[in-house]
Every structure is written in structure tokens, then in C-alpha cells.
Amino acid sequence: MEFKQVIGNRRTIRFFEPHKPVERAKIQTILEAANRCSRSVNADYAKAVVCYRDEMDPEVLQALKTPTATVQFDLAPVAIFWFGDTEFHVGAQARLKELFDLGALAPTHGWSHNYVDEVAYPQVVKPIADDPVLGPWMVNVETGLAMCQAMLAAVDEGLGVALSGYNVDAVKELLKVPDTWIPMWAMLVGYSAEGDGGGQRPRAPLSANYFEGHVGNPFNEDPAVTETLQQAGMIQPGMHGREAQRRQELRELADRFGLPL
Ligand SMILES: Cc1cc2nc3c(=O)[nH]c(=O)nc-3n(C[C@H](O)[C@H](O)[C@@H](O)COP(=O)(O)O)c2cc1C
């Protein structure tokens, strides 16, 4: 699938084909996409545990749920639980030196083995890792990057995908998660049972949130570019104006899966 189409097709899917298994090759592709995300100090922030619903004890599956994450756990054949490693600084010096030796980090920009040992690690990386606010902030951002690439890879593989909260305490114990990993989100993966999900979710125009030069000077869309992006499938018809059709689809899904409406 073209990249812009992948971005346009992605939306939170909450109804999955419950008995259509996800090929393991597709799960591997999703994880490889995450593994290729950009990351500071070339660290492995993102950790993931792939769980197959049908291999889970039904009581455990029940224990994972939260008020905002219920039926989707029953319907999705796969849940990938994501965590962020707070020990990202371990081995950072060696990894930065490797990047230097390979020429990814260049002396033109001030890099050397000494710079790693005397500046980059002790003055930048370690203080961030030791800071109770900055450390987790870094881990959260970096893990989010990996999860985003994973989601897009899932869409590219023709799958539906959703991020969801879950009962962290239950999962930590069940999956033997170390205390140094920050729990993030569950990524539910399966074949979508809801067509195109009812259209793209409402989004503000760029000018509401993005600026040029300084805050307050909105980045205004060029209509010709918008049209190109519409043709490429990145910007798709939204949900407004399709409410009746979507309600009908929800009724059919509720009937099919025996869910209350
Ligand atoms: C980090 C994250 C966590 C989310 N957690 C939940 C959740 O627990 N339950 C749920 O129903 N939707 C969850 N969502 C979906 C969003 O709340 C929202 O429904 C959706 O409109 C986001 O837009 P999208 O459809 O383009 O993904 C989550 C989304 C993100 C990005």
C-alpha cells in the first residue's frame, strides 16, 4: 500500500473478525517496523509482548479489561502489550561509539569517542535518565514512536489496529514484566469487521494546532496540496454526514456479535 494511503486508512478499530487469525509473519512485520523507528542514543526503549487471545485463560482476559477497554479484548485475536525501558542509558556510550565508528555520527558535528565519554553521556544522557520527570518523558516519547510505526505497518498489512488501556497490575504479573519497564498501551490487532471504520475521525484544520515561525501564526493549508493528499488517500471523507450509515453498521455489528446497543 502507498504510504499516504496507509496513513489515511488507519483509524481505531474496535470490532475485529474474532476467528480470523493474524498470520505470525504479519506480527513479525509489525515488530520489525517498530524496531526500525528512530531512537535517541540508539537505545531499545520499546519492549513488547505479543499475546494470542485464544491462548489466554478466560479469567485472565477478563482481568485485563478496564472501563474503556472491554469488548475489543474479546474480539481481537492478538494483543501486543507495549512497555518502555527506563534503563535506556545502559550501554549508551558503546552504542554512540558504534554509531561514530560506522560514520552515522560524524566528527564534522563534534562527535568522537572522547565526546561521548566526556560530554554526550555524562552531561546529556545520564542526567536525563536520572531525572524523575525527564527520564520517563523520554521513554514515553520514544516508545510512542515505535508504536506508531507498528500501527502503520499493521494497516499496511491489511489489518485493523487499536491502542487500548488495560489493567496494568494484572498484565505486569501475568507477563512477568520487570519494574524497570513503564507500561504503555495494548495494541489490539486483527482483521477489521467494520469496513473502513466509518470514515476518518474528526480532526481540526492544520491552522488550529500548527504554526509557522511562531505560535499564533497559523500554518494554513494550500488547497491544491489538500486536494493532492485527498487523491492519494491520506485525507479521506470524515465521519460527519455518515452518521445514519454508521449507526446501521453498529446495529449490524451488535447483532452479529450479540452485543448490547
Ligand atoms: C494512546 C491511545 C490510547 C487509547 N486508548 C483507548 C482505549 O482505552 N479505549 C478506546 O476505546 N479507545 C482508545 N483510543 C482511541 C481514541 O480514544 C479515539 O477513539 C480515536 O478517535 C482516536 O482516533 P483514531 O480513530 O484516528 O485512532 C486510544 C487512542 C490512543 C492514541
Side-chain angles (χ1 to χ4, degrees):
M1 208 185 291
E2 290 297 322
F3 179 69
K4 292 186 182 73
Q5 188 77 51
V6 170
I7 292 186
N9 284 7
R10 191 216 55 78
R11 63 212 55 170
T12 296
I13 293 299
R14 293 188 176 83
F15 297 88
F16 298 93
E17 291 295 342
H19 303 301
K20 188 167 177 190
V22 178
E23 299 84 341
R24 197 169 178 280
K26 294 194 174 188
I27 300 294
Q28 182 175 338
T29 304
I30 290 169
L31 297 177
E32 289 287 10
N35 202 24
R36 271 152 187 89
C37 75
S38 187
R39 70 269 300 279
S40 62
V41 295
N42 220 26
D44 295 325
Y45 293 85
K47 308 286 180 187
V49 182
V50 180
C51 294
Y52 303 94
R53 181 203 56 212
D54 292 346
E55 293 173 12
M56 281 178 159
D57 184 321
E59 274 183 35
V60 170
L61 190 64
Q62 203 56 31
L64 298 181
K65 296 178 181 176
T66 73
T68 60
T70 53
V71 179
Q72 56 263 47
F73 273 99
D74 295 325
L75 295 179
V78 178
I80 306 178
F81 292 91
W82 291 89
F83 305 90
D85 188 0
T86 56
E87 305 224 294
F88 62 88
H89 58 288
V90 176
Q93 280 156 293
R95 286 192 302 273
L96 288 171
K97 287 176 190 174
E98 181 187 29
L99 289 181
F100 176 82
D101 292 341
L102 294 171
L105 291 173
T108 47
H109 292 51
W111 288 94
S112 67
H113 282 214
N114 275 350
Y115 182 78
V116 169
D117 286 336
E118 285 161 26
V119 180
Y121 184 75
Q123 294 183 31
V124 181
V125 178
K126 191 70 170 51
I128 290 177
D130 290 344
D131 187 287
V133 174
L134 292 181
W137 160 77
M138 185 111 147
V139 174
N140 296 345
V141 170
E142 303 267 359
T143 312
L145 294 177
M147 290 163 63
C148 181
Q149 291 203 179
M151 274 198 292
L152 294 176
V155 174
D156 188 46
E157 292 296 321
L159 295 161
V161 64
L163 292 181
S164 175
Y166 58 89
N167 180 335
V168 169
D169 292 336
V171 165
K172 269 191 83 172
E173 194 185 325
L174 177 74
L175 306 185
K176 305 182 172 74
V177 177
D179 286 338
T180 48
W181 292 8
I182 303 174
M184 301 287 166
W185 301 93
M187 186 173 289
L188 302 172
V189 184
Y191 286 90
S192 173
E194 51 176 309
D196 82 340
Q200 275 185 338
R201 280 33 176 168
R203 292 292 142 93
L206 294 189
S207 53
N209 297 304
Y210 304 110
F211 307 95
E212 276 183 310
H214 61 85
V215 176
N217 184 37
F219 188 105
N220 290 310
E221 298 94 337
D222 173 345
V225 176
T226 305
E227 200 185 320
T228 304
L229 296 176
Q230 284 166 341
Q231 279 165 9
M234 184 190 272
I235 302 175
Q236 299 182 11
M239 300 188 85
H240 286 295
R242 299 173 62 186
E243 291 88 343
Q245 198 183 324
R246 177 64 173 167
R247 268 197 296 276
Q248 177 58 25
E249 187 183 25
L250 290 177
R251 268 195 292 275
E252 287 166 12
L253 287 164
D255 277 355
R256 184 178 162 201
F257 295 122
L259 298 168
L261 198 61

